[in-house]
Amino acid sequence: MTNAPLGALAGGTLASHFHGWKGLSGQRYVCSIFPIVQDDPLGGLPDFSVGIALAARRGETGHYRLVRIFEFGWRDEIFLGHSRDIEMSLAQGADEWHIHLLAGGVQERRATIADLGGLMRAI
């Protein structure tokens, strides 16, 4: 299984706010979950200075499918990313943002994106 709820939060009030994705390397990445806002030009992407967005679509069984992954950020209320990533995420049926904030520098974020990005081809 490449993704799963966080077992430590099972049954608790926070369980629906976090999710874990396992990269091709076996590394697990914890993400905070935010709903996509369809009528917002930027899809309601949360205002973090830097992060990795996993655009996910929840299936009927509750299992998630990763549809797109990209780096983004905000500075002084200005979006620092590519709006095309958001547009493509919405066009591919994403309904939640899974945001990973724990990758520190540029190299670590790129490595995380590469590790998780392989999941889109593996599914």
Side-chain angles (χ1 to χ4, degrees):
M1 176 177 282
T2 58
N3 70 84
L6 300 183
L9 298 177
T13 58
L14 294 176
S16 64
H17 297 283
F18 296 94
H19 195 78
W21 290 85
K22 190 180 287 187
L24 293 178
S25 68
Q27 170 76 31
R28 188 162 188 211
Y29 302 93
V30 174
C31 297
S32 300
I33 298 175
F34 297 86
I36 285 181
V37 179
Q38 295 290 338
D39 61 349
D40 182 308
L42 296 175
L45 198 62
D47 184 356
F48 292 110
S49 61
V50 68
I52 298 170
L54 289 76
R57 180 173 61 215
R58 185 190 290 253
E60 292 178 16
T61 63
H63 185 76
Y64 288 103
R65 180 170 181 265
L66 180 62
V67 298
R68 195 159 189 88
I69 181 169
F70 57 93
E71 186 175 358
F72 75 99
W74 294 83
R75 187 177 321 135
D76 299 325
E77 298 183 24
I78 296 172
F79 179 64
L80 305 174
H82 300 284
S83 59
R84 182 84 175 129
D85 287 318
I86 296 168
E87 293 165 8
M88 293 300 296
S89 297
L90 298 176
Q92 293 171 324
D95 52 20
E96 291 182 353
W97 298 120
H98 290 212
I99 306 298
H100 181 69
L101 299 170
L102 301 176
V106 172
Q107 297 293 35
E108 189 178 350
R109 285 190 299 277
R110 288 182 181 159
T112 299
I113 289 170
D115 194 24
L116 288 168
L119 296 178
M120 294 188 311
R121 291 182 292 283
I123 291 176

